Every structure is written in C-alpha cells, then in structure tokens.
C-alpha cells in the first residue's frame, strides 16, 4: 500500500513541470485570435455559399438549378470524412488503457485547430481570388484531409507529448503539408485524390522523424501503461470500423463529379475487403498459437484504403484494387510483427500506433501503384473520360509515361519534405518549455486530465498479488 | 458485508413504489394506440412521397425529374440529425457511472414517442391540407428537431425521473414546442433554422423550470452515483463527437436549397472549431492544476453549434461564426465552473447535465446574434439571395431593423413559453403516481432495469478498504 | 488459486484442437486468391463507373448530367447500409462479456469475405452482360444486403463456431441467397426491396437450422460466459441504435428513384418508432418486477424495420406502418420471453442472439404484410406510380391478387431454401476439421485472440468470495 501512496505523491510533485494552466490556455487563445483576425481579413464565401453570387455569377446563360450546387455532390462525402477524422482517428487511439481521454480529447483539439489553420494555408498556397480565400464544401474536405495528416503524425508520438507540443507540431505540419500539396498537385500536376502521398506518406514520415528526434531512452519506465485492456480494444474498434467503412468516401470526396467519384468509391471498397482477409490470414500465421492480434485487426485492415489513395480514381479495376489491398494488408501485418521492433531497437523510432505500418509503407505502395497506373493510362481505356481523371489530357500533349514519371517524382518530393519537416519540427518540440510528460508518466491521462485513482487488489492465477488502478473523475457534474 | 446485504434488501422493498409493471406498459400502449388512430385519421403522404401525386400534381408544365424530389436534398441531413438525436443525446448522457442503460434507453423511448407526437402537433399547428397532415422528409426532420428539445430537458432531470414521468413531460413539451414554433415562424416571421430559440432556448428553460419544481433537498443521498467513471466518460465522448460532427447538418437541414444550406453548414463548421479551442483553453485555465475537465470537453465544445442556430443561414461569414463560437465555448465553460453550483445552492435548480451551460446561455446568445445579423441584412450583401433567407423580403416591404426586432421578440416569447410550460409540467410531474425514484436511489439503473450487483473489494492507496459494485445482467440470453 | 492455474493449463492443452495457425490463413488466402482471379476474369465497371462508358453509351440523345449518375441517388443510402453491416451487426453482438473481440472481429472478417463473394454470385445469377458482371453502387448495396443475411445466421451460432466454420458457412449461404433471390425477384417477380424474405427470413431460418444441426447438449458448461456485463450491454446498444437509425436507408436503398425511395424511408421511420414503444411496454409487462430487459431493447425494438421490409415501398401509409411495427415489437418481446426457452429445450435450437425473434418471426410477418398490401394495390391509389412499385404493372396484365399470391409463394420458397440450405450446411460444418470450440470454452475470446487473464478477488454481498477474470492483451503495441 505504501507503494501506491508514493506513486501518487510522485505524481503531484511532477505536476509542476507538466502543469498546463497557463501554457495551454495562452496558446489556444492566441492561436484562435490570430485565426479569427486572418479569417476576417482574408476569407470569403465562394460562389456556391454566397447569397449574392450563387446564381449571379454563372458561366452559362441559364440559371443553375439548386441541385447543381457543389453542396449536393460533396457534402455527404464530407460528413463521412469528418467522421473519420474525429471518431475514426480519435477512437482508434483509445486502445491504450490509461490514455483514452487524451486520445480522443487531444485528437479533438488538434483537429479543431488544424482545420482552421489548413483553410488558411491551403488557401494561401493554392491561389487567392483577388486577395481572398474562397471557402465552401471542397475547402472543408481539403482542410479535413490536411488535418488527417497531422493526426497520423500524432499516432507516432501518442502518449509522449503534451497538448501544447501537439498544437505546435500542427502549426508546422499543416504549413508544410500545404506547400507539399501545392508542389505535387499544381506544379507537378500529380493525381492524388485520396492522398496516398500528400496525406499518408507525408503524415507518416513526418511523424516518424518527429518521434525519432524526441527519442526517449527510458520509455520502458512507462511500459506497463503502453498496452491495452479488454474494453479499450473495443473502443479502438469503433475507430477502426468507421475508418474502414468510410474510406470509399475519403478517397472519392474530391475527385471529379460523375464516374470518377463513383469509381473511386467502388475501387476502395474492394481493396479494403481484400485487405481484411489478408490481415486476418497473416495475423494468425505470424502467431505461434495461431491467435489473432487486435493490433493487426485494428490497423492493418485499413491499409487497403491507404494503398488505393492515388490510383483509386483511375481505371484500376476491382481486380487491380483487390491485389493492391491484399498486398497492403500483408505488408502491414508483417511490419507490425517484424519491422516495428527493429525500428525501435535499431533506429530508435518509437512509433506508438505503428503508423509506419498503416500509413507509411501502404502510402508508398499507393504512390507506386498510382505511378504505374498513370503510366498505363490510354484514351482507348478511358475514352472521353480521360480528361476527367488526368487534367492535362485536355491540353492534347498527353503522355502517360511522363505522367507516371511525375507521379514518382511526387513521391520523392513528399518523402523529402516530410523527413526534413519532421526533423526541424522535432527539434523545435524538444525545447523544454511545453510541459512534456516525464519518462515515468507517459501514456497517462492523469497528467493532463482530472482523474482520480482508485486501486483494486488483483490476485493472479499464479498467486501473485498486485494493485491495479481505475480512474474516476474527482467530482460530480 | 452486512451493509451490502441490507442495501440489496432495501432495494427490493422500495421496488414497490417504483415498480413499472403496469404503469409503463399501460402508458406506452395507450399512447401508441392514440397515435395510430390519429395517424389513421389525419396523416397523408405529401406530394413527394405519394405514388400518385409525385409527378402528377406539378407546378410546372414539365415533369419533374426524380432528382428534384426533396428526398435527395434533405435525406442525408435528416440521417445526420437522426444520429444526433439517438446516438448524440443518448450517449452524451451515459457519463453517469450507473445510469448508462437509462440514459441511452430512456432517450430511445422518449425520442421514439416524441417524433410521432411531434408529427401530429406540428402538423396541426402549422397548417393542414384539406384536413390532412402531409408528411415527408421535411416533417421527419422537424419532428426530430422537436424531439431534440425534449431530450435537452431530459438532461436537466436525468437520473431523477421515472420513464413514465419522462413520457408525460414529452406529451406537454412537444405540444408547447409546436405552439411556440408556430408563433415564432409563422406569426412573427422569425428565422430560426437551427433552432437557437425554438429548440435550445425552449428546451433548456423548460427543463430547468421542471427540475426546479421537482427540487429534491436530499439529493445528496445519491451523490456518490452522480459522477462518472473512466469508461462512462469515454462512452459519453461518443455522444459528444457525433453531436459536434453533425451539427452543420442540423443547422442546415431545413434551410432553403442551394446557397443557404451550403452556407449554414460552413458557418457552423467554423463556429464549432473556434468553440473547441475556447473550451480547452478555459477548461485548463479554471482548474488550479491546469488539468482539463471531461465535463467541459463533452459539453461546452458543442455550444458553438447552438449559438449559430439562428444566424447560421445568414451572411454571418466564417469570421463572425468563429467569434460567436469562441464566445459560446467561453461562457459555457465558465457556466459549468461558476454558475451551476450557484444555481443549485441559491436557486435550487439541480441541472444534472448542465443544460443551462450547453443549451440555455448559448441559445440566448444565438438568438441575440440572430437578431443583430438580421438587423444588419441588406440587398447589397445578399443580392437576389435575400429572399432565400428572409421570406418576407419577397413582399417588397423589407425592413431589416423590424426583422431584428421580431427576432428579439421571438426570444422573449420563447423564454416565457418555456418557463410557463415548465412550471405547469413540473407540478403535473410532482404527483406521486409515476414511480419516481427515492432520493436515496437516484442515478441508479437498478430501479428500472434488470441488473445484478456484484461487489468487489477495493483497497485505496491511503489504506482504506471499501466495496464497489458492478452491474451484471441477471440471466443469460 | 490453484483452480485458476489449472484452468489456464487446460486452456493451452485444448489450444491444439482450436489452433487456427494454418487453417485460418490457408482458407483466407485461398479464398481471396480465387476471388481475385474470378474478379479479373468476370467483373467490369458498369456504365456509371466506367470512364469511357459514362456519357458515351447513353440511351437519350442528350448527354447525361453528372447528377444523374446513380452514385448521387444511392451512395448515401449505401453508406448507411454499410454502417449497419459493420457497426450495427458487429456491435450488437458484443453484448457477451468475453466475446467482444470475436463478435466485432469475426463479423468484420465474414462480412469482408461475403461482400466479395456475393458480388460474384449475384452477378452470375442475375444476368451477365456479354459474359461480364457489371458493378457499381447498386451491386455494392446488394452485396451488403446478402452479407447481412450471413450475419443474421452468425447471430444464431455466435460463440459456438470457429472463424473457419463461419467462412465455410458464408460460402454456402451467400450462394443459396443469390439463388433464392433470383427465384423471388426474377422468376416470381416478387417485391422485396428491404428483404423481409430474402434477407431476414432466409438468414434467420438458415441460421436456426445450422445451429440445430450443431446442437451442443453440454453447452451449459459455458453458461457463465453466455451473458452480458454492464459495459458490454452499452457496447451492444451502439449496434442497436445504428441499426435502428439507418433502417429507413436499408429498406429504401434499392427501391426506384423518387417517391418510392422517399416513401419507403418514411414508412420505416414510423414502423420503428411504434415498435419501440411496444418493446418497452411488453418488456416491462413480462417482468415480475416491471423491470426492463436490455435484451429486449437491444433486439425487439428493431423488429419494426424487418417487418416493413417488403411492404415499405408500397402505399402502406404511416398508419399501416405503425400497426405493423407495433405488432412486430410485441411478438419479438414475447418470443424472447416465452418462445426462445422452448425452442432450446424442446427443439434443441440454441439461438445465441435470439434471431428467431428479431429476424425470423418479424420477417415472416413482413412477408405476409407485403403479400396483403400487394393484393390490395390498385391504379386508383398509385396512379402512374404503380409501375414504379410493381414492375409488371407496365405490361398491362396487372392483377394485384395474383401478385399477392406470388408474394406468398415467395415466402414459402424462401423458408424451404433456408431450411434445406441450413441443414446441408450444418452437416458440413459438423466435420471435426474446423477447430470448433469445446463445450467448456464457448463464448470465449481467449481461444482465438491474444488475450491475457488477470484475476480479481470479488466478494459478494452474501459473503461469498470468488475470482473473476479480466482480459488484457499480452503485449504492448
């Protein structure tokens, strides 16, 4: 019993250095005030959201009918993406036994910040209209996409960073995301509707570099908390299943109207289904007793969505999508089993959620598949639909091989930007001013949230007796 | 150990007075039979749901195309609203450690009743067609909206009322809601698409008055159950996040097609994002150790959606929306911290979920913002879109200042109706015939649900030993 | 304490026979490879998903506008159906205290397999286009529907089957589903848009026959695990509420565009609302203390959606829908209370989830209601909409009485196919090669998943002391 008491005292002594009372409110308020000022100065409704402009500024002589408003093409997809960002990512990370509040709560905080900041950064970079950033449902989806990238990086540093660090990371990552996205989509003319490169590869390698710089040699002091309990794995499955179900909407959310949007959803649906069978197969195969591992099911089953993020809008066919999905699930499970321990022991990359397996490798696979599928595109296969997929096919100077080459260059640019950005951001986050948790108290909600420990006597089958803690909020509502 | 036994016996002795065996079935069956008879006599398909009328009774000479059916404009929004009503409200209230079944279960029951009753009441009041009430997706959304108001009031009395009391409350509240809505929208010509006044202000002050009349001086006998545990707070976050994500659909669900629907969703999106940053900031700031409080995150982060419920469809701009959202989050957190304890101790208002902070004050703020934004509207800003937002702008007698004045009157009417209605309903609910829980057994599923207590020995860090109960269903399925 | 140790050793001894290390990976990989090959040979994009065909192969002279792509009519409904399949069914079955991983995990696996296999089987049977199966959002919905049928059967055998058995069951059930669906929809010209017959009746009686053949006389050895705990019932409510909310989308997902889709959603909405009141009423009425039973709320409240699966698209009226919903809820609760125990003791049907009460009887009710409503259809009621509901009304040889007769024949065919198919499949599943769990370890995640037992000392109110186990994953991520 003494041990418990000591542990609690240690907790409150340490609270000095991790106290968020001034740091977090100051940062949040300053950031939000800056955002509000910049929105006031720069952001305007686009033609489809503006009372005056809708049906005033028309390209055709005829009045546009209401059903032509982009809202009706994109809003259902937007809502699915929104669910993935807030429920999907948020609950996927609740697998940790004592970090559920932080997982879903900090996910909520940094997503709410990032989507505002991304609106500005993507607006700046992708072209202003007479000095103004135009917003509508498409900009909302793009902002959510950029946010997704930040949340992927969050997965690598989960449990080891304060909310202040996470907000600072988001500031830099969103900015670089917008620059990288601009280089790929506008300068290189790349296709990447579902973000295999811009979102997944970028977010993963950015996060991996950040966690490398923030390497904690004594993280094993918090080892007992870096695992799940039965119910926390079920909460995490809520995240998994929502990500899985809505990935077809994610990949198709900003493709062109008509067949591209429809086809992308279909391809993603089949890729994910095949990926799920591969995941169950290899999860049982790599376990000596043939038992399934919740980590694999929660994560690797999603790799199929990542891996068709670039080629999904192309004529990949269900056949091609299933092959890609099957490969993605396979490399993801093998990564969790064999690569993650090596990355940690040899390269000192402590990747809490295994984002390298879910977003890193499948993102690179998706980029390669996209390059190959682009290089194989032809008017014979696409007909008049070619220019609905490849924007520069309209120009007549269509050359699929060089298209494929630009896709490959895009991957290289993304990797470079992500690793460089993560390096710089990592060193900025290393400054001892953000209230990061000590090595002994990582993966612990109690540092940043009002919780109350209640200890229970547990008796193991082998006769050992030990104490386990449950958390309770300290006061009634 | 004796104490436990006694507690269980006490439970079964008391069960006499809270026994629902006749009361609940009788009420449910009588209500449903009445509903069915009234639906049989009065309810008809509208033109968009009727096999004969769709494309028969057209306003234009041309046949309407299927995509012009209101289903395709409104059904995705309806489903999002539906999720907010049943998952959002239902799970938000599962934060209580021993009241999860009742929270999500009674929410389910009274919502299923209210949406049927609301269809009738709103149909009666808003105009019948040759003696018939016409139904379609818009009436479904409106019925869900009215239900939302009842569920807000439920939040104030959560844990202290029997299901029979809740159904009786719903009968009266739905009726008054429909009358108030008619006065505001039809007689005063008010704008309130997202229901800052009709839904949130009305539901909150109605519920606060009911809980005031039902004041329990000895409620502290159930104090130990009026709090959350770790997992119950995570379940509640499911509710929070769904409410937060789908609020743009809620506010835009019944605005006019085209730019108003699109703009409302956009404004709400930014208001909520800004509100979330304010919530985190002030939650840490008001805590001596800078720790975040789950109560604030679960509730105050949603106030931004409430506060743009009236002005969201107007040209509020993202800039304006963010200011409103930031203010809403701030007053909501401060309300939870400083106002709720005062309301309870001085005004004897026991508000279980703090609906005054989430729906009451932000609803009033939303009404004020709506009045101001209406008063500032001009053809210069809205162009031809003016009449898509302000219905009476078509008449030519457009006067924004008087519009703003009518909005302000609408708020006053709503407050009066809510307080008066809550007062009367509260006294009706005080009759000792509904099987209300005794003061010692509030916030307790065991009174109304089949659960089975299993007690565990817990040993605190400070050496204290005590018993905690878990609940188990008594019989296998 | 020795007892615990023994129990764990027994577990590992038995693990030999239930070891999935080779069986599950081999089956998954072989199945997926076969699927990929068949997709490569047979599956093509349909006109709405094909880059070349969209707007090339048009029936009218004019170019079709993008909003006419079936994607915009059906994709929101598809996503709702998808949520029902993966979250709805998956979490509904997590009510078991130690079977949450398997419930949501095996649901995930067999659904991911079934939707691929169903695409092929439904494509084969319902007509190929020049030797190719055409896919798009409608085929995705149909594949999900067929998957739903398999998941219903899963409910009957839940906890008593290995994942290998479940995959084998899915192979046969999907195939027979496609044949039965073809007989009903194409040969008999039946209406069954929401699948009262094809999905619910078929899935239920197929599953009941399978579980009859797999009867375990000593299943009471696992009795203590065949029940819920407090939190598992809350997880199950996530499934229930999502199924309930999205059932209007389920029933309307593949009806014709325009009024039929709109009307079906509306009818289902009212049927479910009435069903919920009946469920609460009868759940309290059949309990001696008037307490509500979570089993009823979780399941019977959904019967209203099943029971309007056939007639929902017809002019059933909200009045008729509410009567049907009320009846469905009533028979479902009574079934759980009085029929399920009899089925188990007299007919040796061990129905874990009570699918007979949720899908069996309400499915038959829905078929009868559909037959009666068809027989009462007339041009006077439907006008020109008649042929949008009854396909053969176009031919001029419209005879509602014979339509009603064919509906009744369809029910008989479905029952026959389901019972025969379940019988054969049951005997195939009885072969001792699939690693089925022993009678002592049914309803136990530990057999197939990496979990780790931690035992806690529990002390009952009556003074008894016993050990309870919690599960933890063995290793950190």
């Amino acid at each position: 019993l003494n041990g418990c008491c000591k542990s609690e005292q240690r907790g409150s002594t340490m609270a000095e250095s991790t106290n968020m009372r001034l740091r977090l409110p100051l940062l949040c308020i300053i950031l939000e005030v800056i955002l509000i000022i910049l929105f006031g100065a720069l952001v305007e409704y686009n033609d489809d959201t503006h009372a005056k402009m809708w049906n005033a500024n028309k390209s055709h002589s005829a009045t546009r009918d209401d059903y032509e408003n982009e809202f009706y093409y994109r809003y259902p997809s937007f809502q699915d993406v929104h669910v993935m960002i807030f429920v999907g990512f948020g609950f996927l990370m609740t697998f940790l036994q004592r970090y559920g509040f932080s997982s879903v709560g900090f996910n909520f905080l940094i997503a709410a910040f990032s989507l505002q900041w991304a609106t500005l950064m993507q607006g700046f970079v992708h072209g202003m209209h007479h000095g103004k950033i135009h917003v509508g449902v498409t900009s909302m989806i793009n902002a959510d996409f950029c946010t997704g990238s930040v949340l992927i990086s969050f997965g690598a540093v989960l449990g080891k960073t304060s909310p202040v660090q996470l907000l600072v990371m988001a500031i830099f990552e969103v900015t670089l995301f917008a620059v990288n996205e601009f280089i790929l989509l506008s300068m290189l003319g790349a296709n990447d509707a579902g973000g295999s490169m811009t979102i997944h590869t970028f977010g993963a390698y950015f996060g991996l570099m950040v966690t490398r710089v923030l390497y904690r040699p004594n993280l094993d002091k918090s080892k007992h908390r870096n695992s799940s309990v039965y119910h926390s794995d079920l909460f995490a499955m809520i995240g998994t299943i929502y990500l899985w179900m809505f990935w077809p909407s994610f990949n198709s959310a900003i493709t062109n109207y008509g067949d591209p949007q429809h086809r992308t959803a279909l391809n993603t649906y089949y890729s994910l289904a095949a990926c799920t069978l591969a995941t169950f197969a290899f999860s049982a195969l790599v376990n000596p007793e043939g038992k399934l591992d919740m980590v694999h099911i929660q994560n690797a089953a999603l790799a199929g969505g990542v891996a068709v993020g670039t080629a999904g809008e192309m004529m990949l066919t269900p056949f091609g999508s299933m092959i890609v999905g099957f490969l993605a699930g396979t490399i993801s499970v093998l990564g969790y089993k064999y690569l993650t321990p090596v990355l940690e022991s040899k390269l000192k990359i402590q990747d809490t959620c295994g984002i390298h397996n879910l977003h890193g490798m499948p993102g690179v696979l998706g980029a390669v598949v996209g390059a190959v599928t682009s290089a194989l595109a032809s008017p014979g296969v696409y007909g008049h639909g070619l220019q609905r997929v490849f924007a520069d096919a309209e120009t007549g100077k269509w050359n699929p091989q060089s298209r494929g080459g630009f896709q490959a260059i895009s991957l290289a640019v993304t990797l470079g930007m992500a690793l460089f950005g993560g390096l710089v951001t990592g060193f900025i986050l290393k400054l001892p001013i953000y209230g990061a948790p000590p090595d002994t108290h990582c993966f612990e909600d109690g540092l940043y949230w009002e919780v109350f420990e209640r200890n229970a006597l547990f008796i193991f089958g082998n006769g050992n007796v030990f104490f386990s803690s449950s958390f309770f909020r300290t006061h009634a509502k």
Side-chain angles (χ1 to χ4, degrees), chain A residues 16-33:
Chain A
E16 296 308 317
S17 60
T18 59
N19 193 317
M20 290 287 118
R21 185 160 197 192
L22 290 179
R23 277 178 278 215
L24 184 61
L26 268 178
L27 183 61
C28 285
I29 292 169
I30 291 171
L31 286 176
E32 190 60 46
V33 168

Side-chain angles (χ1 to χ4, degrees), chain A residues 48 54 65-78 137-138 257 261:
Chain A
D48 289 41
W54 174 242
D65 285 303
D66 282 329
Y67 48 77
E68 293 181 71
N69 194 299
E70 66 173 341
F71 183 78
Y72 302 103
Y73 291 93
R74 301 243 185 258
Y75 189 71
S77 304
F78 161 72
V137 67
T138 306
Y257 299 162
Q261 206 169 355

Side-chain angles (χ1 to χ4, degrees), chain A residues 14 57 60 64 91 103 125 146 166 169 220 232 286 292 349 371 383 405 410 416 433 440 445 449 472:
Chain A
M14 186 187 11
N57 186 19
H60 308 290
R64 285 184 296 172
F91 278 90
S103 295
V125 168
C146 178
L166 294 171
M169 183 179 85
D220 57 354
S232 69
V286 299
L292 296 161
I349 295 172
S410 295
I433 56 174
T440 51
D445 273 339
W449 297 86
F472 296 83

Side-chain angles (χ1 to χ4, degrees), chain A residues 25 83 111 117-118 164 173 206 278 309 342 348 365 381 423 432 450:
Chain A
V83 171
W117 186 236
V164 169
E173 184 164 1
F206 188 99
V342 174
K348 299 185 178 174
L365 173 64
V381 173
L423 187 74
E450 277 285 345

Side-chain angles (χ1 to χ4, degrees), chain A residues 50-113:
Chain A
H50 197 295
K52 198 180 197 171
M53 295 306 170
W54 174 242
N55 270 336
N57 186 19
K58 38 187 140 47
S59 44
H60 308 290
S61 56
T63 300
R64 285 184 296 172
D65 285 303
D66 282 329
Y67 48 77
E68 293 181 71
N69 194 299
E70 66 173 341
F71 183 78
Y72 302 103
Y73 291 93
R74 301 243 185 258
Y75 189 71
S77 304
F78 161 72
Q79 274 298 3
D80 292 350
V81 171
H82 218 39
V83 171
M84 293 173 73
I85 295 298
F86 288 89
V87 167
F89 282 104
F91 278 90
L92 182 59
M93 295 188 279
T94 58
F95 72 93
L96 290 171
Q97 56 183 285
R98 294 165 162 228
Y99 210 62
F101 291 5
S102 301
S103 295
V104 74
F106 296 163
N107 186 83
F108 189 22
L109 172 65
I110 60 177
F113 165 71

Side-chain angles (χ1 to χ4, degrees), chain A residues 131 142 178 182 188 212 223 227 263 277 312 324 360 374 386 443 449 457:
Chain A
N142 278 317
F182 175 73
L188 297 171
R212 172 64 191 83
K223 198 180 163 186
S227 62
R263 182 170 57 251
L277 266 82
V324 173
S374 294
L386 190 65
F443 315 111
W449 297 86
L457 175 69

Side-chain angles (χ1 to χ4, degrees), chain A residues 398-417:
Chain A
W398 168 249
N399 180 340
Q401 282 72 41
S402 80
R403 265 296 91 231
F406 279 116
Q407 293 288 133
I409 292 167
S410 295
L411 173 62
V413 169
T414 299
L415 285 168
M417 293 282 291

